[in-house]
Amino acid sequence: MTIRLYDTSARQIRDFAPLTPGCVSIYLCGATVQAAPHIGHIRSGLNFDIMRRWFAYRGYDVTFIRNVTDIDDKIIQKSADQGRPWWAIGYENERAFNNGYDALGCLPPSYEPRATGHMTEMVEMMRGLIERGHAYEAEGNVYFDVRSFPGYLELSRQDLDDLRQPSADGETGKRDPRDFALWKAAKPGEPSWETPWGRGRPGWHLECSAMAHKYLGPVFDVHGGGLDLIFPHHENEIAQAKAYGDEFARYWVHNAWVTMSGEKMSKSLGNSVLVSEMVKQWRPIVLRYYLGTPHYRSMIEYSPEALAEAESAFARIEGFVQRVVEKAGRVIEPAAEVPLAFAEAMDDDFGVPQALAVIHTTVRQGNSALSADDKEGAAARLAEVRAMLGVLGLDPLDPHWAGESRGAGEDLHGVVDTLVRMVLDQREAARARKDWATADALRDQLGQSGLTIEDSPEGPRWTLGGAAR
């Protein structure tokens, strides 16, 4: 058994060899909490949640760090625009992110450090970089000297002579316009902290290098994040950490975006779909299926139609689970091991689409067993399905999803069920008196309303969009 994953730094799939046998250390760039999360933000958390679950299934002890950037230019600008404290905006949106992660079934990280809690570590790293000749102070700012580090841009594979480094207002005194800020001199009215070089606040990149060092040490296994972070964020993280003396991350893993009309979903582009709104329209487990089942390196083009397709696909799985439980009269526990084909797919760069195909095949086999009244066969297939769904965080029988809200119309379910049952009772009465024409007409009328009727030994069942009732 060898897990293989695509390493951005190598531009190829590599065998995973952990730094410490039996252990995996992961650092994921988490939320910058200037606004509530859209589904593109949460996708990253979902992808790495599945990765973490698979490592754990394979027997690894996983340490998973997901940071919170609670101070940066955008948060400060929001504070000025709204006339609210910067920390209030950050905390409010941090809670919104955690609510989104929780709603979609992400396991909590081992640690979730905030940038503002690690100023001491950042000052220590800057001091070391200055002493080693990789950084310098200028007008209260501290900059990283990119020409001092020969390996700069190896991750993004750019040419230094063609580089255009993003810069913000107030970044004065640079020796080279391509140098980037480790520390930004204080401006009137902005949050600041004391350092040997004057009051100010950290640059975005320094925060993650310092926190990764604090919680995972000078070298760790996997550093993750979205594709948009490769440059400048991850490139600058590498420069800081390695110039400081750390080996830093041994594998770099990046998830693709959620797009809308071909553009990356983004608040600034006005094309974002907030998680808080989506969970009112769609069941969270369906949203997890939609965001988590494409390959993590594949773009997801958002559309309501695509979500509806995901809902129908998951309903086929969920319907099978419910039918077997009803047939068995008890809950079938997950199998101790997933099927070999599923494991091979997950070992191969976390190939969730191929793994999902194994789930659907197993569901079809289970449905065939149900049709043949093979209770043992159906139960065995359900045990396998639950084991596989558990790895993906999609087991509908997991306690996390118990009592899950089914969207804005769920409060009408009881009313609809009562009305449908009245029609079904009329149909059963017609069948009892062998009035097949009336029974078929009632069934057809329900079908025209979008309902599907299934006759089972336990009585008629109705489904809407494939979800059994």
Side-chain angles (χ1 to χ4, degrees), residues 124-284:
E124 180 180 337
M125 183 167 279
M126 283 190 288
R127 183 182 287 113
L129 290 170
I130 291 173
E131 291 173 353
R132 292 169 174 80
H134 293 291
Y136 58 93
E137 184 273 337
E139 302 178 21
N141 300 295
V142 180
Y143 297 109
F144 186 91
D145 180 356
V146 297
R147 288 193 174 275
S148 73
F149 182 67
Y152 190 56
L153 300 179
E154 287 184 355
L155 181 66
S156 58
R157 300 194 179 184
Q158 299 182 76
D159 189 323
L160 183 60
D161 291 334
D162 297 331
L163 181 65
R164 297 292 180 268
Q165 184 79 253
S167 292
D169 292 340
E171 294 187 9
T172 58
K174 286 185 179 182
R175 297 174 184 172
D176 186 312
R178 291 163 293 195
D179 294 345
F180 61 88
L182 302 174
W183 192 260
K184 301 182 180 185
K187 295 180 183 178
E190 290 189 353
S192 63
W193 289 261
E194 189 61 65
T195 75
W197 313 283
R199 294 192 67 84
R201 58 186 175 84
W204 174 31
H205 319 300
L206 179 66
E207 299 172 350
C208 282
S209 295
M211 287 186 284
H213 180 93
K214 167 79 172 182
Y215 291 93
L216 297 177
V219 57
F220 56 94
D221 291 308
V222 178
H223 195 311
L227 282 174
D228 52 323
L229 299 182
I230 293 175
F231 181 83
H233 187 47
H234 289 166
E235 196 73 76
N236 292 352
E237 276 190 69
I238 292 170
Q240 295 162 158
K242 290 193 172 183
Y244 182 68
D246 289 356
E247 184 180 336
F248 211 48
R250 301 173 72 240
Y251 298 85
W252 285 87
V253 179
H254 292 90
N255 64 277
W257 303 328
V258 178
T259 61
M260 185 182 291
S261 301
E263 295 280 352
K264 173 180 175 284
M265 191 169 286
S266 168
K267 279 279 196 180
S268 60
L269 295 177
N271 65 349
S272 60
V273 182
L274 294 181
V275 175
S276 58
E277 294 302 316
M278 292 297 288
V279 296
K280 296 176 184 177
Q281 302 172 42
W282 303 91
R283 295 170 58 200

Side-chain angles (χ1 to χ4, degrees), residues 25 88 95 154 170 200 229 258 286 291 315 322 345 351-352 356-357 368 450 466-467:
S25 47
R95 292 189 65 182
E154 287 184 355
L229 299 182
V258 178
V286 169
L291 293 172
Q322 293 171 340
V352 175
L356 190 64
S368 296

